[in-house]
Amino acid sequence: MDQLYHQTNKQIQEVNFNMGHLEKVDKESVHVVENEIQASIDLIFSNLERLEILAGKEPPQKRQNAKLRVNQLKYDVQHLQAGLRNFQHRRYTREQQEREREELLAKTFTTN
């Protein structure tokens, strides 16, 4: 269990690091980076499911602490997931505004 816990924690730190670079990525490769981050988050969630099972199998004196550690990882990864969704929403809104701006600039107006 400890090995999987440390591996999952390291993956969470890597995703957090990649989220920091997401703002600096050019427009063409932002989708690729988002997909990589989402794939990592999905892998972390599957590891957390396994960790929950393993925490339940710990001896009674260690079980509470193990479940607490797994819950902390869950909270961290949910926070990362929300951050990714927030970034995607901001990017989508910004792209929508750019499209609307270009549409207005291309439109020809006539007098009454």
Side-chain angles (χ1 to χ4, degrees), residues 72-102:
Q72 181 62 47
L73 288 180
K74 270 185 173 178
Y75 173 79
D76 291 344
V77 75
Q78 287 171 350
H79 180 73
L80 290 174
Q81 180 77 48
L84 179 62
R85 272 195 232 111
N86 189 11
F87 175 81
Q88 289 172 329
H89 179 70
R90 283 195 326 262
R91 181 182 51 79
Y92 174 76
T93 303
R94 191 169 42 244
E95 289 173 355
Q96 181 73 19
Q97 289 172 348
E98 288 174 9
R99 280 193 299 273
E100 290 171 355
R101 192 175 309 119
E102 290 298 321

Side-chain angles (χ1 to χ4, degrees), residues 4 7-8 11 36-49 77:
L4 185 59
Q7 176 187 355
T8 305
Q11 289 172 337
E36 289 173 358
I37 290 173
Q38 186 60 52
S40 297
I41 289 174
D42 292 341
L43 179 64
I44 291 168
F45 273 125
S46 68
N47 285 351
L48 287 174
E49 289 174 8
V77 75

Side-chain angles (χ1 to χ4, degrees), residues 3-100:
Q3 182 181 2
L4 185 59
Y5 172 82
H6 291 299
Q7 176 187 355
T8 305
N9 195 22
K10 184 179 178 188
Q11 289 172 337
I12 289 174
Q13 290 172 357
E14 289 172 1
V15 168
N16 197 14
F17 180 76
N18 290 339
M19 292 277 288
H21 291 300
L22 198 55
E23 294 282 345
K24 301 171 189 163
V25 175
D26 59 343
K27 289 183 180 182
E28 289 77 31
S29 60
V30 71
H31 296 291
V32 174
V33 175
E34 283 178 356
N35 290 339
E36 289 173 358
I37 290 173
Q38 186 60 52
S40 297
I41 289 174
D42 292 341
L43 179 64
I44 291 168
F45 273 125
S46 68
N47 285 351
L48 287 174
E49 289 174 8
R50 179 82 179 124
L51 278 170
E52 279 185 310
I53 293 169
L54 292 174
K57 294 180 179 180
E58 285 288 310
Q61 60 271 24
K62 293 183 179 181
R63 190 174 300 150
Q64 183 67 27
N65 189 28
K67 287 184 178 184
L68 184 67
R69 290 169 58 192
V70 171
N71 285 339
Q72 181 62 47
L73 288 180
K74 270 185 173 178
Y75 173 79
D76 291 344
V77 75
Q78 287 171 350
H79 180 73
L80 290 174
Q81 180 77 48
L84 179 62
R85 272 195 232 111
N86 189 11
F87 175 81
Q88 289 172 329
H89 179 70
R90 283 195 326 262
R91 181 182 51 79
Y92 174 76
T93 303
R94 191 169 42 244
E95 289 173 355
Q96 181 73 19
Q97 289 172 348
E98 288 174 9
R99 280 193 299 273
E100 290 171 355

